[in-house]
Amino acid sequence: MNAAAAIRTLVVDDEPLAREGLRLLLATDPEVSVVGEAGNGPEAVRLIREQRPDLVLLDVQMPELNGFEVLAHLAPTEVPAVIFVTAYDRYALRAFDIHALDYLLKPFRDDRFHDAVGRAKAQIRLTRMSDLSQRLMSVLSTYGERDNTPAPAPAPTPTPEPWVHRLAIRDTGRVVFLDVDEIEYIEAADYYVQIHAGGKAYLHRETMQSLEARLDPERFMRIHRSAIVNSRRIRELRSEGRRDLVVVLTGGAELRVARSHREKFQHLR
């Protein structure tokens, strides 16, 4: 990626060692260019306005202005993509309420960091493509008026994938972030769902219908009124009797398929 197309990134943290750690992690990514770093809130506001970064790795608790106050000082058009990087989990839900791309809780693994930056890069590229399409449409529209010829049909604008990739699950005194790839299956539990992933079960306050609407249907299949499975976690399909079908998952769970959902498995056989 050339310099003009690099993901321009600003590092904001009041701890010099923390900033150095983030810089070292970013230095391994050739698609990222660090355009500056700030050690407090007012400096962050100034650098965001001056450098217009695509992405900010933003600490929450800092002198003078915290991370949320930094964003509040910016005009909507000045706010870049944001990944919060903090040692405190109590701000997680608020971070996602303001559409932060991710929330890294210190200490985090390197692969977790690069996963978050990777998603941010994909989102920023989509935004750039959308802006480019809009500019192209404007130029073609002007050209069409000069030549008195109809302008070509506008190029389709890419839209971000609507499906959720991570779930924020409230647990006792904490918020657990769960990648949907890790989910094996989901069971209904009154006004909650029980999410099974990595040998653990998480109780999440959301209805089956609501959660199903947010999951990629190419990956998650409703097999029963009270069960959804991750199709990539299916290890085996087993017939029992003449009409019953059982799904066996990689973790060993066995779930019965309702007859009304059996047709979904025809193409998997």
Side-chain angles (χ1 to χ4, degrees), residues 6 16 27 40 52 57 79 92 98 112 146 150 159 162 164 203-204 207 219 221-222 225 249 261 265 269:
N40 57 56
R52 305 306 296 263
L57 303 181
V79 177
I98 64 169
R112 175 73 183 84
R146 286 204 308 267
T159 55
V164 64
L203 198 60
H204 176 55
T207 64
R219 183 180 306 181
M221 306 169 63
R222 176 75 77 103
R225 181 169 52 85
L249 300 174
H261 293 276
F265 291 87
R269 294 186 169 185

Side-chain angles (χ1 to χ4, degrees), residues 42 47 89 113 129 163 206 210 219:
L47 285 176
D89 62 1
F113 174 84
M129 291 175 65
W163 315 121
E206 186 170 7
S210 170
R219 183 180 306 181

Side-chain angles (χ1 to χ4, degrees), residues 164-190:
V164 64
H165 295 284
R166 289 210 307 154
L167 295 174
I169 300 173
R170 292 192 182 199
D171 200 355
T172 307
R174 59 176 185 161
V175 177
V176 176
F177 296 101
L178 188 65
D179 287 341
V180 297
D181 290 339
E182 301 176 41
I183 296 175
E184 283 201 59
Y185 66 103
I186 302 164
E187 291 182 302
D190 293 329

